[in-house]
Amino acid sequence: MHRNGLDSTKKSYKNDILLILFFLIIGIGAFAFMQLQGKRGAEVKVSVNNKEYGTYSLDKNQTVTIGEDDWENILIIKDGKASMAKADCPDKICVNHAAISKKGETIVCLPHKVVVEVVDGNGIQDGNQIDIISK
């Protein structure tokens, strides 16, 4: 009787391991797929309080100072990636955010209402453009 119980425990343990490995492989595959699907953007569009502040090329290394008299954020564009290097906001979440380079990625500084978004070369995030020519 003990032997049967021991065999079923071993089978259960093996099945648990196989199930964990299955989900691990699926997770790694999904992550790799998402990383490969993201297309590199050409520019970052900076908005402050829902108003366009400026658009900057990711191909040119530059430092952009964003702010007004009582606050300041510093955006660094280097090697095709944009990151917030400095902000005088209390939480510094935007400064701790990873550098962005793929279309649709954003860095947000909520206290200063700053949004930095990677877009394609036309300032359009999803590549859809409205034809403005009419007769």
Side-chain angles (χ1 to χ4, degrees), residues 47-50 71 73 84 87 89-95 107-116:
S47 301
V48 178
N49 202 18
N50 288 329
W71 62 268
N73 287 40
M84 196 69 72
C89 57
D91 58 15
K92 307 277 190 263
I93 292 173
C94 58
V95 176
I107 297 174
V108 178
C109 179
L110 283 177
H112 297 157
K113 299 178 183 171
V114 174
V115 176
V116 179

CSV table of all heavy atoms in Angstrom, one decimal, residues 47-50 71 73 84 87 89-95 107-116:
chain,number,residue,atom,x,y,z
A,47,SER,N,5.2,66.5,-24.3
A,47,SER,CA,4.1,67.3,-24.0
A,47,SER,C,4.1,67.7,-22.5
A,47,SER,O,4.5,67.0,-21.7
A,47,SER,CB,2.8,66.5,-24.3
A,47,SER,OG,2.7,66.1,-25.6
A,48,VAL,N,3.7,69.0,-22.3
A,48,VAL,CA,3.5,69.5,-20.9
A,48,VAL,C,2.1,70.0,-20.7
A,48,VAL,O,1.7,70.8,-21.5
A,48,VAL,CB,4.5,70.6,-20.6
A,48,VAL,CG1,4.4,71.1,-19.2
A,48,VAL,CG2,6.0,70.1,-20.8
A,49,ASN,N,1.4,69.4,-19.8
A,49,ASN,CA,0.0,69.7,-19.5
A,49,ASN,C,-0.8,69.6,-20.8
A,49,ASN,O,-1.6,70.5,-21.1
A,49,ASN,CB,-0.1,71.2,-18.9
A,49,ASN,CG,-1.3,71.4,-18.1
A,49,ASN,OD1,-2.0,70.4,-17.8
A,49,ASN,ND2,-1.7,72.6,-17.9
A,50,ASN,N,-0.7,68.5,-21.5
A,50,ASN,CA,-1.4,68.2,-22.7
A,50,ASN,C,-1.1,69.2,-23.9
A,50,ASN,O,-1.9,69.2,-24.9
A,50,ASN,CB,-2.9,68.1,-22.5
A,50,ASN,CG,-3.3,66.9,-21.7
A,50,ASN,OD1,-2.6,65.8,-21.8
A,50,ASN,ND2,-4.3,67.0,-20.9
A,71,TRP,N,10.0,74.7,-11.8
A,71,TRP,CA,10.3,73.3,-11.9
A,71,TRP,C,11.1,73.0,-13.2
A,71,TRP,O,11.1,73.8,-14.1
A,71,TRP,CB,9.1,72.4,-11.8
A,71,TRP,CG,8.1,72.6,-12.9
A,71,TRP,CD1,7.0,73.4,-12.9
A,71,TRP,CD2,8.1,71.9,-14.2
A,71,TRP,NE1,6.4,73.3,-14.1
A,71,TRP,CE2,7.0,72.4,-14.9
A,71,TRP,CE3,8.9,71.0,-14.8
A,71,TRP,CZ2,6.7,72.0,-16.2
A,71,TRP,CZ3,8.6,70.6,-16.1
A,71,TRP,CH2,7.5,71.1,-16.8
A,73,ASN,N,12.8,69.5,-15.6
A,73,ASN,CA,13.1,68.1,-16.0
A,73,ASN,C,14.2,68.2,-17.1
A,73,ASN,O,14.1,69.1,-17.9
A,73,ASN,CB,11.9,67.4,-16.5
A,73,ASN,CG,10.9,67.0,-15.5
A,73,ASN,OD1,10.6,67.8,-14.6
A,73,ASN,ND2,10.3,65.8,-15.6
A,84,MET,N,14.9,60.2,-18.7
A,84,MET,CA,14.8,61.4,-17.9
A,84,MET,C,16.0,61.4,-16.9
A,84,MET,O,16.1,60.5,-16.1
A,84,MET,CB,13.5,61.5,-17.2
A,84,MET,CG,13.1,62.8,-16.6
A,84,MET,SD,12.7,64.0,-17.9
A,84,MET,CE,11.1,63.5,-18.5
A,87,ALA,N,14.9,65.4,-12.5
A,87,ALA,CA,13.6,66.0,-12.3
A,87,ALA,C,13.6,66.5,-10.8
A,87,ALA,O,14.0,65.8,-9.9
A,87,ALA,CB,12.5,65.1,-12.5
A,89,CYS,N,10.9,66.9,-9.1
A,89,CYS,CA,9.7,66.4,-8.5
A,89,CYS,C,10.0,65.5,-7.3
A,89,CYS,O,11.1,65.0,-7.2
A,89,CYS,CB,8.8,65.7,-9.5
A,89,CYS,SG,9.6,64.3,-10.2
A,90,PRO,N,9.1,65.4,-6.3
A,90,PRO,CA,9.4,64.6,-5.1
A,90,PRO,C,9.6,63.1,-5.3
A,90,PRO,O,10.4,62.5,-4.6
A,90,PRO,CB,8.2,64.9,-4.2
A,90,PRO,CG,7.1,65.4,-5.1
A,90,PRO,CD,7.8,66.0,-6.3
A,91,ASP,N,8.9,62.5,-6.3
A,91,ASP,CA,8.9,61.0,-6.3
A,91,ASP,C,10.0,60.4,-7.3
A,91,ASP,O,10.4,59.3,-7.1
A,91,ASP,CB,7.5,60.5,-6.7
A,91,ASP,CG,7.0,61.0,-8.0
A,91,ASP,OD1,7.8,61.6,-8.8
A,91,ASP,OD2,5.8,60.8,-8.3
A,92,LYS,N,10.4,61.2,-8.2
A,92,LYS,CA,11.5,60.8,-9.2
A,92,LYS,C,11.2,59.5,-9.9
A,92,LYS,O,12.1,58.8,-10.4
A,92,LYS,CB,12.9,60.6,-8.4
A,92,LYS,CG,13.3,61.7,-7.6
A,92,LYS,CD,14.0,62.8,-8.4
A,92,LYS,CE,14.7,63.8,-7.6
A,92,LYS,NZ,13.9,65.0,-7.4
A,93,ILE,N,9.9,59.2,-10.1
A,93,ILE,CA,9.6,57.9,-10.9
A,93,ILE,C,10.0,58.1,-12.3
A,93,ILE,O,10.6,57.1,-12.9
A,93,ILE,CB,8.0,57.7,-10.8
A,93,ILE,CG1,7.7,57.3,-9.4
A,93,ILE,CG2,7.6,56.6,-11.8
A,93,ILE,CD1,6.2,57.2,-9.1
A,94,CYS,N,9.9,59.2,-12.9
A,94,CYS,CA,10.4,59.4,-14.3
A,94,CYS,C,11.9,59.2,-14.4
A,94,CYS,O,12.3,58.7,-15.4
A,94,CYS,CB,9.9,60.8,-14.8
A,94,CYS,SG,10.5,62.2,-13.8
A,95,VAL,N,12.6,59.7,-13.4
A,95,VAL,CA,14.1,59.5,-13.5
A,95,VAL,C,14.5,58.0,-13.4
A,95,VAL,O,15.4,57.6,-14.0
A,95,VAL,CB,14.8,60.3,-12.4
A,95,VAL,CG1,16.2,60.1,-12.3
A,95,VAL,CG2,14.4,61.8,-12.5
A,107,ILE,N,7.5,57.9,-21.0
A,107,ILE,CA,8.0,58.3,-19.7
A,107,ILE,C,7.1,59.4,-19.2
A,107,ILE,O,6.8,60.4,-20.0
A,107,ILE,CB,9.4,58.8,-19.7
A,107,ILE,CG1,10.4,57.7,-20.1
A,107,ILE,CG2,9.8,59.3,-18.3
A,107,ILE,CD1,11.8,58.1,-20.3
A,108,VAL,N,6.5,59.3,-18.0
A,108,VAL,CA,5.6,60.3,-17.5
A,108,VAL,C,6.1,60.9,-16.2
A,108,VAL,O,6.5,60.1,-15.3
A,108,VAL,CB,4.2,59.7,-17.3
A,108,VAL,CG1,3.2,60.7,-16.8
A,108,VAL,CG2,3.7,59.1,-18.6
A,109,CYS,N,6.0,62.2,-16.1
A,109,CYS,CA,6.3,62.8,-14.8
A,109,CYS,C,5.0,63.5,-14.4
A,109,CYS,O,4.6,64.5,-14.9
A,109,CYS,CB,7.4,63.9,-14.9
A,109,CYS,SG,7.7,64.8,-13.4
A,110,LEU,N,4.3,62.8,-13.5
A,110,LEU,CA,2.9,63.3,-13.1
A,110,LEU,C,2.9,64.6,-12.4
A,110,LEU,O,2.1,65.5,-12.7
A,110,LEU,CB,2.2,62.2,-12.2
A,110,LEU,CG,1.6,61.0,-13.0
A,110,LEU,CD1,1.0,60.0,-12.0
A,110,LEU,CD2,0.6,61.5,-14.0
A,111,PRO,N,3.9,64.9,-11.4
A,111,PRO,CA,3.8,66.2,-10.7
A,111,PRO,C,4.0,67.3,-11.7
A,111,PRO,O,3.4,68.4,-11.5
A,111,PRO,CB,5.0,66.1,-9.8
A,111,PRO,CG,5.2,64.6,-9.5
A,111,PRO,CD,4.9,64.0,-10.8
A,112,HIS,N,4.8,67.2,-12.7
A,112,HIS,CA,5.0,68.3,-13.7
A,112,HIS,C,4.1,68.2,-14.9
A,112,HIS,O,4.3,69.0,-15.8
A,112,HIS,CB,6.5,68.4,-14.1
A,112,HIS,CG,7.4,68.7,-12.9
A,112,HIS,ND1,8.7,68.3,-12.9
A,112,HIS,CD2,7.1,69.2,-11.7
A,112,HIS,CE1,9.2,68.7,-11.7
A,112,HIS,NE2,8.3,69.3,-11.0
A,113,LYS,N,3.3,67.1,-15.0
A,113,LYS,CA,2.5,66.9,-16.2
A,113,LYS,C,3.2,66.8,-17.5
A,113,LYS,O,2.8,67.3,-18.5
A,113,LYS,CB,1.4,67.9,-16.3
A,113,LYS,CG,0.5,67.9,-15.0
A,113,LYS,CD,-0.6,69.0,-15.1
A,113,LYS,CE,-1.4,69.0,-13.8
A,113,LYS,NZ,-2.2,70.1,-13.7
A,114,VAL,N,4.4,66.1,-17.4
A,114,VAL,CA,5.3,65.9,-18.6
A,114,VAL,C,5.1,64.5,-19.1
A,114,VAL,O,5.1,63.5,-18.3
A,114,VAL,CB,6.7,66.2,-18.2
A,114,VAL,CG1,7.7,65.8,-19.4
A,114,VAL,CG2,7.0,67.6,-17.8
A,115,VAL,N,4.9,64.4,-20.4
A,115,VAL,CA,4.8,63.1,-21.1
A,115,VAL,C,5.8,63.1,-22.2
A,115,VAL,O,5.8,64.0,-23.1
A,115,VAL,CB,3.4,62.8,-21.7
A,115,VAL,CG1,3.3,61.5,-22.4
A,115,VAL,CG2,2.3,62.8,-20.6
A,116,VAL,N,6.7,62.1,-22.2
A,116,VAL,CA,7.6,61.9,-23.3
A,116,VAL,C,7.2,60.6,-24.0
A,116,VAL,O,7.2,59.5,-23.4
A,116,VAL,CB,9.1,61.8,-22.7
A,116,VAL,CG1,10.1,61.5,-23.9
A,116,VAL,CG2,9.4,63.0,-21.9
